[in-house]
């Protein structure tokens, strides 16, 4: 393993996606135990994306008290078929939410008639369960959750909001193999906002793959601004960025 610190967040670089995922899972287990020393439960937000596969799989090898974990997910498409595998709730349900004995699992629902009411409902849940840990990735356009550059707001007054997805974000869903074509990708989604994600004391940011190399470089070197949403991670003292050799290739000589 190679470890470098260029800026906040702390960087941990691994030779493979599998090693990266295992390291991120190990850190999560340690941080959960640390929270549970002072609280009866821990509130965790999980990202749903192929970039998280190795991390999520590695959780099965950790000794975690899932019965003390309240689980949330950070974004969801609007008006995507209830049974679609691309729905983020379904993605996480298949991989972990149905696999462990969570204290609670709290789904965002993008198929309700009144999405603003759903935003308010989920916001109340998060207000009642302040986030301890966020497990996230970074989009090719630098988005965190579905806070794409056109809608990202570092001082967002909302907790959950409706957003229109920009073209690079939607194209990434095709590039990742989640949708067959751009026309199949929904144009709107619900997302947790940047301030609520940043409110967590611990952020596990898992970003593998060559397609994310430019986004990683931008995160560490571009001005901290909403044009590059992931740059806000440099202001968070509890963030660790887990990379593999592909995603870190542009920073190896820095």
């Amino acid at each position: 393993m190679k470890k470098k610190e260029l800026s906040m967040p702390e960087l941990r670089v691994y030779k493979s996606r599998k090693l990266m995922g295992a390291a991120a899972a190990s850190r999560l287990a340690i941080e959960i135990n640390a929270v549970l020393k002072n609280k009866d439960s821990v509130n965790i937000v999980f990202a749903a994306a192929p970039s998280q596969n190795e991390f999520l799989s590695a959780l099965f090898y950790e000794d975690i008290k899932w019965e003390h974990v309240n689980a949330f997910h950070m974004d969801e498409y609007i008006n995507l078929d209830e049974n679609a595998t691309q729905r983020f709730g379904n993605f996480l349900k298949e991989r972990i939410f149905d696999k462990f004995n969570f204290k609670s699992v709290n789904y965002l629902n993008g198929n309700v008639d009144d999405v603003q009411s759903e935003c308010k409902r989920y916001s109340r849940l998060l207000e009642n369960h302040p986030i301890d840990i966020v497990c996230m990735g970074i989009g090719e356009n630098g988005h965190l959750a579905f806070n794409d550059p056109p809608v990202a707001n570092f001082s967002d007054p909302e907790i959950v909001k409706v957003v229109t997805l920009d073209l690079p974000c939607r194209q990434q869903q095709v590039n990742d193999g989640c949708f067959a074509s751009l026309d199949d990708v929904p144009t709107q989604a619900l997302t947790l906002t940047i301030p609520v994600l940043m409110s967590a004391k611990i952020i596990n940011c898992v970003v593998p793959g060559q397609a994310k190399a430019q986004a990683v470089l931008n995160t560490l070197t571009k001005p901290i601004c909403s044009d590059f949403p992931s740059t806000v991670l440099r202001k968070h003292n509890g963030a660790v960025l887990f990379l593999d050799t592909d995603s870190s290739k542009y920073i190896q000589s820095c």
Side-chain angles (χ1 to χ4, degrees), residues 150-165:
V151 298
N153 181 351
F154 292 175
S155 301
D156 207 313
E158 298 182 80
I159 295 175
V160 183
K161 68 180 180 180
V162 176
V163 293
T164 297
L165 306 180

Side-chain angles (χ1 to χ4, degrees), residues 6 38 51 59 62 66 70 83 103 111 117 126 147 153 177 191 200-201 205 207 210 239:
L6 303 181
N38 301 306
S51 64
L59 292 175
E62 298 294 333
W66 293 108
N70 296 307
N83 297 315
K103 182 175 183 180
N111 286 1
S117 292
L126 294 170
N147 295 285
N153 181 351
T191 187
K201 291 184 178 179
C205 191
V207 193
Q210 183 173 337

